[in-house]
C-alpha cells in the first residue's frame, strides 16, 4: 500500500499540513523540535489509529480540542485510490475510509505500517510486552486465524481469572481450562511459526548490517514447553488461586534476542555459546539488529499478506557511525515498500539518496526541497 498524500489539521505543531509523497523514499529534514517526528506521528495515525508515543488528546495542537489526519491511500494492484480519514474529538476517534466507517482492526489490516524510532532499543531492554506486540503484528497480517484465536484466548483467560478471584470450584474452572488451553496452544503455534520465519528471513539482512555474529530469535510460549497447557493449568490451580491470576500462558510469551560470535573457521555459520544481547551490544548495534528483524517481518508481510507495509524511520543517523548509516541505507533502499525517513540534515549517505523526494520542516511548516 502507498500513501500518495498526507494531510493534517490542528495536529501537534501543524495548523495545516500537506505532503505529496514519493512512492518509494521520502526524506524529511529539520532541526530538533521542528516537527519531523510529529509528521511521522501523523502517518502512524493513518496506519495504527494513534501515536506510538502519546495519547490521542496530546496530539491536538495547543489551544485546540480536536485534530484530523487524512491520507490518499493507493493500492498498486490498480484499485481506485481511497481517502482515509481519522478525526479525534470529544475523546473519541472516528475512522472513515471512502464512503464508510472502518473498525481499528480493519484499518491496521488495510494499511500495514511499522516504525523504527530512537527508542527501538526498548525492544531489547524492556519487558516482554513490547516484543509480543511486535510478534503479534506480523502474525496478524499473515494469518487470518490469528485475530479470532487471540480474542478467544483473551476471553477465556479473563473468565478463568475472574473465577479464580471468586473462588470457583474445580468443576466450574474445568470448561474454561479446556477453552483457554485449546486457544493458547493454537495461538502459540502461530506465534512460533512466525518467529522462526522472521529469524530465517533476517539472516541475509543481518549479514549486511552486522556481519561476524550469529543472531537468533528464541520464542518461549509462556509455559513449560514439555507439558500440555491443560496439564499446566490443572497442576497450577492452587498457586493461581493464591495470586488470583493465571500465572503461566500465552500472556507471558516471550521473544528473546541472542548472539554468538562466529570465527573464521566456522564456515557452517554455527557460532559459540549463544548469549542474550541485553547489555552486551552498543546502541548502534541495537538499532541495526532491531531494524533487521522489523524489515524481515515487513518482507514476510509483503509476500504473504498481500500488502507491502509502509516503513517509518525517525532520526536516521542517531547512534550510527557513517559506516552503519551506509549499511542501513542500503537495506532500506532494497526494501520495496514506501519509506518515510527523518534526519537532522541532508548529510552523509543520505546526500545521494536516489529516487527520493526531499522535504524540510521548520516551526511546523513543511516545504519540498529540490533533490540533488
Amino acid at each position: 500500500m502507498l500513501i500518495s498524500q498526507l494531510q493534517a489539521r490542528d495536529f501537534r505543531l501543524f495548523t495545516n499540513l500537506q505532503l505529496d509523497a514519493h512512492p518509494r523514499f521520502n526524506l524529511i529534514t529539520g532541526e530538533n523540535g521542528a516537527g519531523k517526528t510529529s509528521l511521522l506521528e501523523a502517518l502512524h495515525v493513518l496506519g495504527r489509529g494513534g501515536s506510538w508515543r502519546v495519547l490521542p488528546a496530546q496530539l491536538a495542537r495547543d489551544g485546540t480540542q480536536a485534530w484530523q489526519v487524512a491520507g490518499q491511500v493507493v493500492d498498486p494492484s490498480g484499485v481506485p485510490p481511497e481517502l482515509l480519514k481519522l478525526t479525534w474529538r470529544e475523546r473519541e476517534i472516528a475512522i472513515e475510509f471512502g464512503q464508510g466507517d472502518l473498525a481499528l482492526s480493519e484499518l491496521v489490516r488495510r494499511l500495514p505500517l511499522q516504525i523504527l524510532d530512537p527508542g527501538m532499543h526498548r525492544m531489547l531492554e524492556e519487558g516482554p510486552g513490547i516484543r509480543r506486540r511486535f510478534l503479534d503484528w506480523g502474525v496478524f497480517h499473515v494469518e487470518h486465524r490469528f485475530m479470532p484465536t487471540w480474542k478467544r484466548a483473551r476471553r477465556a483467560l479473563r473468565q478463568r481469572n475472574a473465577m479464580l478471584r471468586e473462588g470457583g470450584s474445580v468443576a466450574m474452572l474445568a470448561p474454561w481450562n479446556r477453552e483457554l488451553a485449546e486457544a493458547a496452544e493454537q495461538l502459540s503455534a502461530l506465534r512460533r511459526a512466525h518467529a522462526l520465519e522472521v529469524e530465517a528471513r533476517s539472516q541475509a539482512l543481518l549479514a549486511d548490517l552486522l556481519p561476524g555474529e550469529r543472531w537468533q530469535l528464541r520464542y518461549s510460549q509462556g509455559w513449560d514447553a514439555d507439558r500440555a497447557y491443560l496439564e499446566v493449568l490443572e497442576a497450577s490451580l492452587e498457586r493461581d488461586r493464591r495470586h488470583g491470576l493465571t500465572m503461566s500462558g500465552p500472556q507471558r510469551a516471550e521473544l528473546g534476542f541472542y548472539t554468538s560470535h562466529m570465527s573464521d573457521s566456522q564456515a557452517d555459520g554455527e557460532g559459540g555459546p549463544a548469549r542474550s544481547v541485553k547489555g552486551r551490544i552498543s546502541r548502534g548495534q541495537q538499532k541495526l539488529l532491531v531494524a533487521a528483524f522489523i524489515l524481515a517481518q515487513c518482507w514476510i508481510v509483503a509476500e504473504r499478506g498481500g500488502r507491502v507495509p509502509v516503513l517509518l524511520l525517525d532520526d536516521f543517523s542517531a547512534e550510527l557511525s557513517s559506516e552503519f548509516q551506509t549499511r542501513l541505507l542500503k537495506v532500506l533502499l532494497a526494501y520495496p515498500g514506501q519509506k518515510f525517513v527523518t534526519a537532522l540534515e541532508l548529510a552523509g549517505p543520505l546526500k545521494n539518496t536516489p529516487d527520493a523526494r526531499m522535504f524540510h520542516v521548520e516551526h511546523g511548516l513543511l516545504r519540498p526541497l529540490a533533490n540533488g
Side-chain angles (χ1 to χ4, degrees):
M1 301 298 287
L2 301 174
I3 301 168
S4 63
Q5 186 180 85
L6 171 71
Q7 299 175 348
R9 187 176 72 240
D10 291 332
F11 187 93
R12 288 291 203 180
L13 297 176
F14 300 104
T15 303
N16 284 290
L17 166 71
Q18 180 167 318
L19 181 149
D20 295 314
H22 192 278
R24 292 297 303 275
F25 200 102
N26 298 273
L27 177 61
I28 302 101
T29 62
E31 296 296 326
N32 290 325
K36 302 186 303 298
T37 302
S38 296
L39 191 153
L40 292 192
E41 282 183 295
L43 291 161
H44 197 270
V45 164
L46 277 183
R48 296 290 190 95
S51 168
W52 72 94
R53 299 197 302 167
V54 300
L55 297 172
Q58 296 172 274
L59 298 173
R61 188 170 59 85
D62 288 347
T64 65
Q65 302 298 317
W67 53 258
Q68 186 176 92
V69 174
Q72 196 75 24
V73 179
V74 179
D75 188 331
S77 67
V79 177
E82 293 273 16
L83 181 66
L84 175 60
K85 183 166 62 176
L86 289 89
T87 306
W88 179 84
R89 63 166 60 91
E90 298 178 353
R91 301 182 182 181
E92 292 187 357
I93 294 180
I95 307 173
E96 302 171 70
F97 187 68
Q99 301 300 312
D101 297 332
L102 208 60
L104 179 59
S105 61
E106 187 58 26
L107 168 73
V108 175
R109 189 180 302 279
R110 283 179 179 269
L111 185 59
L113 179 148
Q114 269 288 25
I115 179 152
L116 294 161
D117 76 302
M120 65 181 72
H121 60 87
R122 294 183 297 115
M123 176 86 79
L124 308 176
E125 296 179 350
E126 292 190 0
I130 188 171
R131 292 182 287 278
R132 279 197 302 273
R133 290 191 293 274
F134 157 74
L135 185 62
D136 285 349
W137 179 87
V139 186
F140 169 81
H141 281 289
V142 300
E143 288 287 353
H144 70 276
R145 296 171 293 165
F146 170 78
M147 186 55 74
T149 304
W150 181 83
K151 286 182 177 179
R152 182 186 174 196
R154 185 177 64 168
R155 175 175 176 267
L157 178 65
R158 187 184 299 121
Q159 292 290 339
R160 186 177 192 269
N161 286 342
M163 284 200 172
L164 288 169
R165 292 190 292 270
E166 294 166 5
S169 66
V170 173
M172 294 172 65
L173 281 162
W176 289 114
N177 285 346
R178 291 193 295 270
E179 175 73 2
L180 176 57
E182 185 174 323
E185 296 277 9
Q186 293 173 5
L187 178 60
S188 182
L190 295 175
R191 284 172 165 173
R192 185 183 302 280
H194 186 66
L196 288 170
E197 193 171 4
V198 171
E199 182 189 38
R201 189 58 187 262
S202 68
Q203 295 310 306
L205 294 165
L206 288 164
D208 287 335
L209 292 172
L210 293 168
E213 298 276 336
R214 177 174 172 80
W215 307 94
Q216 303 172 29
L217 280 182
R218 293 184 181 176
Y219 173 71
S220 300
Q221 62 191 10
W223 68 90
D224 187 345
D226 296 325
R227 301 172 70 188
Y229 188 38
L230 181 58
E231 179 187 345
V232 171
L233 289 173
E234 292 171 345
S236 61
L237 177 58
E238 291 308 315
R239 181 196 64 176
D240 291 351
R241 274 198 174 125
R242 289 195 301 271
H243 289 90
L245 287 172
T246 304
M247 300 300 292
S248 60
Q251 75 282 8
R252 296 187 180 273
E254 171 64 295
L255 194 64
F257 293 75
Y258 291 82
T259 182
S260 56
H261 182 68
M262 290 192 300
S263 68
D264 293 339
S265 62
Q266 290 170 317
D268 60 358
E270 293 295 330
R275 299 177 179 179
S276 171
V277 302
K278 186 175 181 179
R280 294 183 180 274
I281 61 176
S282 70
R283 283 291 177 87
Q285 289 174 305
Q286 289 177 4
K287 184 171 182 174
L288 294 188
L289 180 63
V290 174
F293 285 118
I294 286 180
L295 278 164
Q297 189 181 54
C298 287
W299 275 99
I300 292 166
V301 171
E303 293 167 357
R304 295 187 52 209
R307 292 184 170 98
V308 184
V310 174
L311 185 67
L312 313 180
L313 198 161
D314 194 20
D315 204 352
F316 171 83
S317 59
E319 311 288 354
L320 298 182
S321 66
S322 178
E323 172 61 25
F324 275 12
Q325 290 179 45
T326 299
R327 294 181 192 177
L328 179 57
L329 184 59
K330 177 184 175 182
V331 299
L332 286 176
L333 292 174
Y335 174 65
Q338 189 179 32
K339 296 161 285 281
F340 294 85
V341 178
T342 72
L344 282 172
E345 57 184 348
L346 190 59
L350 290 174
K351 288 190 295 187
N352 301 312
T353 307
D355 195 22
R357 193 164 292 166
M358 311 290 185
F359 303 88
H360 184 77
V361 63
E362 186 173 359
H363 304 305
L365 298 175
L366 182 75
R367 61 184 177 86
L369 298 176
N371 190 355

